[in-house]
């Protein structure tokens, strides 16, 4: 058993309470590589923001659980080396699909886990979530649960259609499970293709897709049922068109990739939404920088040569999200 506290990590309880009260959201950035982790910590330190570093089951397998534990410990020490005396860093499991996966993460030093039983019938979702909560709380680990289904693809998580969270279910679910935060479905979606063209309208001048608005009426209804309770939004990448255009310019093929408009995420961050997940945007920034570098420097083959601009592109994106979208800067 590895205690996350010995690694210098924190759970989400206090930071979520402050975020709900302060009207901002904590950034939850997925990572798979050292460069992503470095960029996340650099951005968090520069902006004086708490941060959640999260990994999916697939990312954990890719990185190796043991290496991941030391990366998390290294992230805390790296933040201190960069000048942050008391960093607030969470290591979070994104979309845990079983009790065994969540337990394994808790035992290896995660400070927060998500159990995603959203595809199960309501009562089975409660039963599974409660089992994870009981184990996690014994070790002071916080638990995120999910009600409602998001469309799209992210690692092992895949759904053809979204199903909005039913506000009438949230009180019973939160009470019976004891979860610490709740991911809801209000129209966000996983991946770089968050909406089908037929769901959108097209800008007559640019030809770009304009996605449908989020269901803020559902969010407000959930807030009314669970006042002050920490709410989470998954699938909240904005799919920056400059990165999509760069990828396409230098040999990529991402037609009609579209995300969540940042103005809608700013609105959400000022509500009870205290954690907003961003994954695809980082992947796009990294891929765009690498494709551009390869096109401009075909003679390069040292990974450091193309991963350095990729890391910088991700850091710039993280800083932008923290300061311009989530409002979590200057909160340490």
């Amino acid at each position: 058993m590895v205690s996350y506290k010995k690694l210098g990590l924190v759970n989400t309880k206090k930071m979520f309470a402050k975020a709900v009260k302060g009207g901002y959201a904590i950034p939850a950035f997925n990572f798979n590589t050292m460069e992503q982790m470095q960029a996340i910590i650099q951005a968090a330190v520069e902006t004086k923001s708490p941060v959640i570093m999260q990994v999916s089951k697939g990312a954990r397998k890719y990185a190796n659980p043991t290496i991941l534990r030391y990366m998390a410990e290294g992230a805390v020490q790296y933040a201190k080396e960069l000048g942050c005396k008391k960093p607030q860093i969470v290591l979070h499991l994104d979309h845990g699909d079983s009790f065994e996966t969540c337990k394994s993460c808790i035992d290896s030093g995660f400070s927060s886990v998500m159990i995603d039983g959203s595809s199960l019938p309501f009562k089975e979702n409660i039963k599974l979530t409660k089992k994870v909560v009981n184990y996690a709380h014994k070790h002071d680990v916080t638990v995120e649960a999910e009600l409602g289904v998001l469309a799209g693809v992210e690692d092992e998580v895949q759904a053809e259609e979204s199903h909005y969270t039913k506000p009438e279910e949230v009180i019973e679910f939160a009470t019976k499970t004891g979860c610490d935060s709740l991911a809801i479905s209000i129209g966000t979606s996983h991946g770089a293709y968050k909406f089908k063209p037929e769901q959108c309208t097209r800008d007559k001048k640019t030809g770009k897709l304009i996605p449908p608005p989020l269901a803020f009426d559902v969010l407000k209804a959930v807030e009314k049922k669970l006042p002050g309770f920490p709410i989470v939004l998954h699938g909240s990448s904005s799919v920056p068109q400059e990165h999509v255009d760069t990828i396409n310019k230098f040999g990529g093929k991402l037609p009609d990739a579209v995300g969540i408009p940042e103005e809608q995420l700013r609105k959400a961050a000022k509500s009870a939404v205290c954690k907003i997940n961003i994954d695809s945007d980082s992947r796009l920034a990294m891929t765009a920088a690498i494709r551009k570098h390869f096109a401009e420097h075909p003679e390069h083959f040292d990974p450091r040569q193309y991963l350095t601009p990729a890391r910088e592109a991700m850091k710039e994106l993280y800083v932008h999200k923290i300061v311009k979208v989530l409002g979590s800067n200057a909160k340490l």
Side-chain angles (χ1 to χ4, degrees), residues 72-182:
E73 185 175 18
V76 175
Q77 296 306 315
Y78 183 41
K80 291 179 179 179
E81 288 178 10
L82 292 176
C84 183
K85 293 182 179 179
K86 293 183 179 181
Q88 293 181 17
I89 300 171
V90 174
L91 180 62
H92 174 75
L93 170 66
D94 190 23
H95 289 290
D97 61 353
S98 67
F99 171 79
E100 289 74 22
T101 297
C102 291
K103 181 181 183 298
S104 176
C105 287
I106 293 166
D107 291 349
S108 64
F110 279 64
S111 56
S112 176
V113 295
M114 178 199 185
I115 177 63
D116 183 359
S118 60
S119 63
L120 299 173
F122 182 68
K123 290 185 178 180
E124 290 183 32
N125 189 358
I126 289 177
K127 183 178 179 180
L128 176 60
T129 302
K130 178 61 176 175
K131 185 177 181 181
V132 173
V133 168
N134 286 344
Y135 186 78
H137 283 183
K138 290 179 182 178
H139 303 284
D140 202 23
V141 170
T142 41
V143 178
E144 174 186 329
E146 181 167 344
L147 265 182
V149 179
L150 274 68
V153 180
E154 182 184 32
D155 287 0
E156 301 87 359
V157 182
Q158 181 172 348
E160 288 293 328
E161 296 181 358
S162 63
H163 300 281
Y164 287 163
T165 301
K166 298 176 181 178
E168 62 271 19
E169 293 180 342
V170 297
I171 295 177
E172 180 183 358
F173 186 87
T175 302
K176 288 186 175 180
T177 64
C179 64
D180 300 288
S181 61
L182 183 64

Side-chain angles (χ1 to χ4, degrees), residues 168-319:
E168 62 271 19
E169 293 180 342
V170 297
I171 295 177
E172 180 183 358
F173 186 87
T175 302
K176 288 186 175 180
T177 64
C179 64
D180 300 288
S181 61
L182 183 64
I184 65 171
S185 175
I186 61 169
T188 55
S189 179
H190 293 128
Y193 295 91
K194 298 189 181 300
F195 304 99
K196 298 176 181 177
E198 57 266 29
Q199 294 176 285
C200 307
T201 57
R202 282 194 186 273
D203 187 293
K204 293 182 179 179
K205 292 183 179 180
T206 66
K208 300 289 186 182
L209 293 176
I210 301 173
L214 298 179
F216 281 100
D217 57 329
V218 175
L219 174 58
K220 288 182 180 179
V222 171
E223 285 182 301
K224 189 173 181 180
K225 296 283 186 181
L226 294 174
F229 194 83
I231 302 300
V232 177
L233 285 189
H234 284 242
S236 297
S237 283
S238 299
V239 188
Q241 288 304 300
E242 63 267 26
H243 294 318
V244 173
D245 291 344
T246 298
I247 290 170
N248 291 336
K249 178 181 178 181
F250 294 109
K253 189 177 286 186
L254 291 174
D256 291 333
V258 63
I260 310 299
E262 289 188 342
E263 59 267 22
Q264 294 196 46
L265 296 176
R266 289 189 197 98
K267 181 178 178 180
K270 293 177 181 178
S271 69
V273 173
C274 62
K275 173 178 180 274
I276 292 181
N277 291 12
I278 297 169
D279 185 6
S280 295
D281 285 354
S282 171
R283 299 181 185 193
L284 291 168
M286 186 177 200
T287 300
I290 291 173
R291 280 193 174 274
K292 182 174 185 291
H293 188 90
F294 279 154
E296 295 176 349
H297 301 279
E299 75 281 7
H300 284 175
F301 63 92
D302 183 342
R304 293 171 295 182
Q305 292 172 313
Y306 54 85
L307 289 176
T308 296
R311 182 175 59 195
E312 184 60 30
M314 288 188 288
K315 178 197 167 186
E316 290 179 3
L317 179 127
Y318 295 141
V319 168

